[in-house]
Amino acid sequence: MTDIARHLAAIDELRARPFPDRPVSGPLLESGPGFHIADLRVSEDFWDADLARVAEVDEEFDAELRCLIQALSRRWGEPEAVDLTDHLERSALHEPVPPPLDSLCSYVGRLHAWRVDGRWVAVGVGQGDRELPIQLVAAIGEGDMR
């Protein structure tokens, strides 16, 4: 099974999974009322990495994200681009940001999202800080993404 096929299977599993009544966290999955966030792939840490290595891994993750977006677009059409900058600014000002966007905006700048069967499905790549791993994430949620 290819990486993209595994990612699609993980997204399908998340879409079918009920949302919990209270927040639940695991090593690769965070869930709560109305959402799931899953790490589809996580790179190594970059504490002592040179910038060339970071750029190489970043490019690799962006390419994988593009392939995943293409696969999901074949299913559901073109995605909506969702810039999370406003959510990050509101969070910094201690204004309310709905979950899971409150968590995602701290390390993902942009999501590619589809509305499917009453939920939204989004994918993106992010990194919390230069030394931290790069993450390819999928999120499933209810309600508005704005």
Side-chain angles (χ1 to χ4, degrees):
M1 182 181 283
T2 67
D3 287 343
I4 297 303
R6 276 193 294 279
H7 299 336
L8 292 172
I11 290 168
D12 289 342
E13 190 276 324
L14 287 174
R15 288 183 54 229
R17 181 183 286 208
F19 298 124
D21 294 332
R22 57 183 172 73
V24 179
S25 290
L28 299 176
L29 180 65
E30 176 185 347
S31 294
F35 75 91
H36 301 296
I37 301 172
D39 288 331
L40 300 176
R41 183 172 173 214
V42 179
S43 75
E44 74 269 20
D45 290 336
F46 296 106
W47 291 102
D48 295 321
D50 64 28
L51 295 179
R53 175 66 184 146
V54 176
E56 175 186 321
V57 173
D58 188 46
E59 186 176 305
E60 191 178 298
F61 271 68
D62 284 342
E64 193 166 340
L65 174 63
R66 285 191 302 274
C67 289
L68 182 57
I69 291 167
Q70 287 176 346
L72 292 169
S73 293
R74 283 192 292 275
R75 290 180 169 187
W76 302 318
E78 289 301 307
E80 173 187 356
V82 179
D83 186 341
L84 297 180
T85 304
D86 288 344
H87 297 292
L88 181 61
E89 290 172 357
R90 289 195 345 246
S91 179
L93 295 171
H94 304 289
E95 295 177 6
V97 176
L101 301 176
D102 58 345
S103 175
L104 288 167
C105 74
S106 67
Y107 64 100
V108 178
R110 179 183 174 125
L111 292 171
H112 304 271
W114 297 262
R115 290 254 175 220
V116 183
D117 300 329
R119 293 181 172 184
W120 53 261
V121 177
V123 294
V125 168
Q127 184 178 24
D129 201 351
R130 191 178 77 77
E131 297 85 12
L132 296 176
I134 296 172
Q135 297 166 257
L136 173 62
V137 299
I140 314 296
E142 294 180 321
D144 191 12
M145 292 187 71
R146 301 285 171 196

